[in-house]
mmCIF file with all atom_site columns, all heavy atoms in Angstrom:
data_model
loop_
_atom_site.group_PDB
_atom_site.id
_atom_site.type_symbol
_atom_site.label_atom_id
_atom_site.label_alt_id
_atom_site.label_comp_id
_atom_site.label_asym_id
_atom_site.label_entity_id
_atom_site.label_seq_id
_atom_site.pdbx_PDB_ins_code
_atom_site.Cartn_x
_atom_site.Cartn_y
_atom_site.Cartn_z
_atom_site.occupancy
_atom_site.B_iso_or_equiv
_atom_site.pdbx_formal_charge
_atom_site.auth_seq_id
_atom_site.auth_comp_id
_atom_site.auth_asym_id
_atom_site.auth_atom_id
_atom_site.pdbx_PDB_model_num
ATOM 1  N N   . THR A 1 2 ? -17.261 16.679 20.507 1.00 27.00 ? 1217 THR A N   1
ATOM 2  C CA  . THR A 1 2 ? -16.202 15.694 20.724 1.00 27.00 ? 1217 THR A CA  1
ATOM 3  C C   . THR A 1 2 ? -15.902 15.144 19.316 1.00 27.00 ? 1217 THR A C   1
ATOM 4  O O   . THR A 1 2 ? -16.656 15.060 18.472 1.00 27.00 ? 1217 THR A O   1
ATOM 5  C CB  . THR A 1 2 ? -16.762 14.580 21.583 1.00 27.00 ? 1217 THR A CB  1
ATOM 6  O OG1 . THR A 1 2 ? -17.943 14.132 20.947 1.00 27.00 ? 1217 THR A OG1 1
ATOM 7  C CG2 . THR A 1 2 ? -17.174 15.213 23.037 1.00 27.00 ? 1217 THR A CG2 1
ATOM 8  N N   . SER A 1 3 ? -14.558 14.643 19.292 1.00 29.00 ? 1218 SER A N   1
ATOM 9  C CA  . SER A 1 3 ? -14.064 14.045 18.104 1.00 29.00 ? 1218 SER A CA  1
ATOM 10 C C   . SER A 1 3 ? -14.756 12.716 18.015 1.00 29.00 ? 1218 SER A C   1
ATOM 11 O O   . SER A 1 3 ? -15.043 12.050 18.961 1.00 29.00 ? 1218 SER A O   1
ATOM 12 C CB  . SER A 1 3 ? -12.545 13.975 17.996 1.00 29.00 ? 1218 SER A CB  1
ATOM 13 O OG  . SER A 1 3 ? -12.227 13.147 19.112 1.00 29.00 ? 1218 SER A OG  1
ATOM 14 N N   . PRO A 1 4 ? -14.912 12.134 16.760 1.00 32.00 ? 1219 PRO A N   1
ATOM 15 C CA  . PRO A 1 4 ? -15.534 10.962 16.440 1.00 32.00 ? 1219 PRO A CA  1
ATOM 16 C C   . PRO A 1 4 ? -14.716 9.831  17.047 1.00 32.00 ? 1219 PRO A C   1
ATOM 17 O O   . PRO A 1 4 ? -13.388 9.820  17.052 1.00 32.00 ? 1219 PRO A O   1
ATOM 18 C CB  . PRO A 1 4 ? -15.796 10.848 14.991 1.00 32.00 ? 1219 PRO A CB  1
ATOM 19 C CG  . PRO A 1 4 ? -14.933 11.864 14.377 1.00 32.00 ? 1219 PRO A CG  1
ATOM 20 C CD  . PRO A 1 4 ? -14.761 12.920 15.462 1.00 32.00 ? 1219 PRO A CD  1
ATOM 21 N N   . GLU A 1 5 ? -15.376 8.863  17.504 1.00 34.00 ? 1220 GLU A N   1
ATOM 22 C CA  . GLU A 1 5 ? -14.648 7.702  17.954 1.00 34.00 ? 1220 GLU A CA  1
ATOM 23 C C   . GLU A 1 5 ? -14.002 6.985  16.871 1.00 34.00 ? 1220 GLU A C   1
ATOM 24 O O   . GLU A 1 5 ? -14.511 6.770  15.707 1.00 34.00 ? 1220 GLU A O   1
ATOM 25 C CB  . GLU A 1 5 ? -15.694 6.642  18.672 1.00 34.00 ? 1220 GLU A CB  1
ATOM 26 C CG  . GLU A 1 5 ? -15.215 5.933  19.844 1.00 34.00 ? 1220 GLU A CG  1
ATOM 27 C CD  . GLU A 1 5 ? -16.425 5.230  20.381 1.00 34.00 ? 1220 GLU A CD  1
ATOM 28 O OE1 . GLU A 1 5 ? -17.424 5.811  20.999 1.00 34.00 ? 1220 GLU A OE1 1
ATOM 29 O OE2 . GLU A 1 5 ? -16.405 3.917  20.255 1.00 34.00 ? 1220 GLU A OE2 1
ATOM 30 N N   . ARG A 1 6 ? -12.800 6.406  16.908 1.00 35.00 ? 1221 ARG A N   1
ATOM 31 C CA  . ARG A 1 6 ? -12.307 5.551  15.885 1.00 35.00 ? 1221 ARG A CA  1
ATOM 32 C C   . ARG A 1 6 ? -12.756 4.119  15.963 1.00 35.00 ? 1221 ARG A C   1
ATOM 33 O O   . ARG A 1 6 ? -12.802 3.503  17.001 1.00 35.00 ? 1221 ARG A O   1
ATOM 34 C CB  . ARG A 1 6 ? -10.645 5.455  16.043 1.00 35.00 ? 1221 ARG A CB  1
ATOM 35 C CG  . ARG A 1 6 ? -10.220 4.795  14.855 1.00 35.00 ? 1221 ARG A CG  1
ATOM 36 C CD  . ARG A 1 6 ? -8.585  4.902  14.871 1.00 35.00 ? 1221 ARG A CD  1
ATOM 37 N NE  . ARG A 1 6 ? -7.951  4.168  13.933 1.00 35.00 ? 1221 ARG A NE  1
ATOM 38 C CZ  . ARG A 1 6 ? -7.833  4.362  12.691 1.00 35.00 ? 1221 ARG A CZ  1
ATOM 39 N NH1 . ARG A 1 6 ? -8.197  5.471  12.228 1.00 35.00 ? 1221 ARG A NH1 1
ATOM 40 N NH2 . ARG A 1 6 ? -7.159  3.403  11.858 1.00 35.00 ? 1221 ARG A NH2 1
ATOM 41 N N   . VAL A 1 7 ? -13.278 3.710  14.865 1.00 38.00 ? 1222 VAL A N   1
ATOM 42 C CA  . VAL A 1 7 ? -13.701 2.328  14.693 1.00 38.00 ? 1222 VAL A CA  1
ATOM 43 C C   . VAL A 1 7 ? -12.560 1.329  14.831 1.00 38.00 ? 1222 VAL A C   1
ATOM 44 O O   . VAL A 1 7 ? -11.509 1.547  14.127 1.00 38.00 ? 1222 VAL A O   1
ATOM 45 C CB  . VAL A 1 7 ? -14.495 1.946  13.418 1.00 38.00 ? 1222 VAL A CB  1
ATOM 46 C CG1 . VAL A 1 7 ? -14.869 0.618  13.265 1.00 38.00 ? 1222 VAL A CG1 1
ATOM 47 C CG2 . VAL A 1 7 ? -15.781 2.800  13.365 1.00 38.00 ? 1222 VAL A CG2 1
#
Side-chain angles (χ1 to χ4, degrees):
T1217 61
S1218 61
E1220 220 177 281
R1221 183 173 171 85
V1222 172

